[in-house]
Amino acid sequence: MIIIFALLTFYRFLSGVPGVEINQNVCNFAEQRLVEVQSDWSHNKFLKRENDIRQPGSWYENLGKNSNKPVIIFNLWKKSPKHNKVLLSDMKYICIKESNGYWVLEGWKPL
């Protein structure tokens, strides 16, 4: 995940957007989502759970699949207006996880 995090950090820097930090609470949630999306490829469980998350603030999610190459996934997210909006959002904390070609990016901006 170091490669995709480095790509994101550099991209945000070039775009004039503040950097993000990896956060263990966000990583715990990303791990959960990574398991979920492998059997339910959608944002449904993210959206349903969003109000139940204990840390108040704004939450963001990008999903990707069918590649174990971080550069490919990152470029696909950049080319998609909705995914790119997440990449350049006001999130402060982030975690990106991958398993079996499935990718989850979870971001959080505390209140």
Side-chain angles (χ1 to χ4, degrees):
M1 297 325 99
I2 293 171
I3 292 171
I4 200 163
F5 182 75
L7 290 169
L8 176 62
T9 299
F10 188 62
Y11 181 53
R12 288 174 67 92
F13 172 77
L14 291 177
S15 301
V17 179
V20 291
E21 299 173 33
I22 296 173
N23 176 280
Q24 189 57 52
N25 289 330
V26 178
C27 286
N28 292 341
F29 184 58
E31 287 284 348
Q32 269 187 299
R33 289 295 294 136
L34 188 58
V35 170
E36 292 170 352
V37 299
Q38 291 181 60
S39 61
D40 177 16
W41 179 249
S42 73
H43 294 285
N44 291 338
K45 290 184 179 179
F46 171 78
L47 296 171
K48 288 179 185 176
R49 182 179 289 113
E50 186 173 22
N51 293 332
D52 295 335
I53 294 173
R54 298 296 182 241
Q55 299 96 342
S58 300
W59 285 83
Y60 305 89
E61 178 174 80
N62 275 353
L63 303 177
K65 68 177 180 177
N66 297 331
S67 179
N68 61 354
K69 296 183 182 347
V71 173
I72 290 174
I73 293 298
F74 185 75
N75 285 331
L76 289 171
W77 285 342
K78 276 179 47 179
K79 290 178 186 177
S80 162
K82 288 182 180 181
H83 291 94
N84 192 55
K85 187 175 179 179
V86 170
L87 296 177
L88 298 176
S89 72
D90 61 353
M91 64 185 161
K92 181 172 177 162
Y93 300 107
I94 192 170
C95 194
I96 304 169
K97 296 287 183 175
E98 184 272 338
S99 178
N100 302 317
Y102 287 86
W103 292 82
V104 172
L105 177 155
E106 298 296 336
W108 173 46
K109 179 190 174 195
L111 289 178

